[in-house]
Amino acid sequence: GVCFSIFHTETQKEIGRGGRYSIDTEQGSMPATGATLFVNPLLESVQMQAPERVLVARGSSLAETLALREQGMVTLQALADGALSDMAKQLGCSHVYENGTLNQAQGQTR
């Protein structure tokens, strides 16, 4: 039957394949279709494209937050004041947005 492969456009790695085939049973042959996604190369491509996560300080405007999102960043709103770099690290954020400035989170290990 017809077969296909799925390739990632940037890595050129095969991330899946599938097609049509027949299943032989006691009642005869049955047509079937299936597909498989290859988890490891798929995860590699997703991690490669993962957007920056930014912890946005309390008091930042909606317009500022939306501007960060338009740049492709994922924003998390801080619900408390305090050590934003520590909060950012706990939440997996690479950056902190505070007082109109985007800074790398201190002590970030991600």
Side-chain angles (χ1 to χ4, degrees), residues 72-83:
M73 299 177 191
V74 172
T75 61
L76 285 83
Q77 184 67 47
L79 299 178
D81 296 322

Side-chain angles (χ1 to χ4, degrees), residues 39-84:
V39 176
N40 288 341
L42 187 59
L43 287 175
E44 289 171 12
S45 67
V46 169
Q47 290 170 353
M48 184 179 85
Q49 298 173 352
E52 295 292 334
R53 290 171 54 102
V54 179
L55 180 64
V56 178
R58 284 176 36 131
S60 299
S61 71
L62 178 59
E64 291 172 303
T65 302
L66 292 175
L68 293 169
R69 291 179 186 173
E70 286 174 8
Q71 295 175 40
M73 299 177 191
V74 172
T75 61
L76 285 83
Q77 184 67 47
L79 299 178
D81 296 322
L84 292 178

Side-chain angles (χ1 to χ4, degrees), residues 7-50:
F7 291 88
H8 189 276
T9 56
E10 291 181 26
T11 65
Q12 306 301 314
K13 290 184 179 181
E14 185 178 25
I15 58 173
R17 77 171 67 139
R20 287 183 44 99
Y21 55 93
S22 294
I23 299 175
D24 294 327
T25 68
E26 293 176 5
Q27 291 80 24
S29 182
M30 288 185 0
T33 304
T36 300
L37 293 177
F38 304 136
V39 176
N40 288 341
L42 187 59
L43 287 175
E44 289 171 12
S45 67
V46 169
Q47 290 170 353
M48 184 179 85
Q49 298 173 352

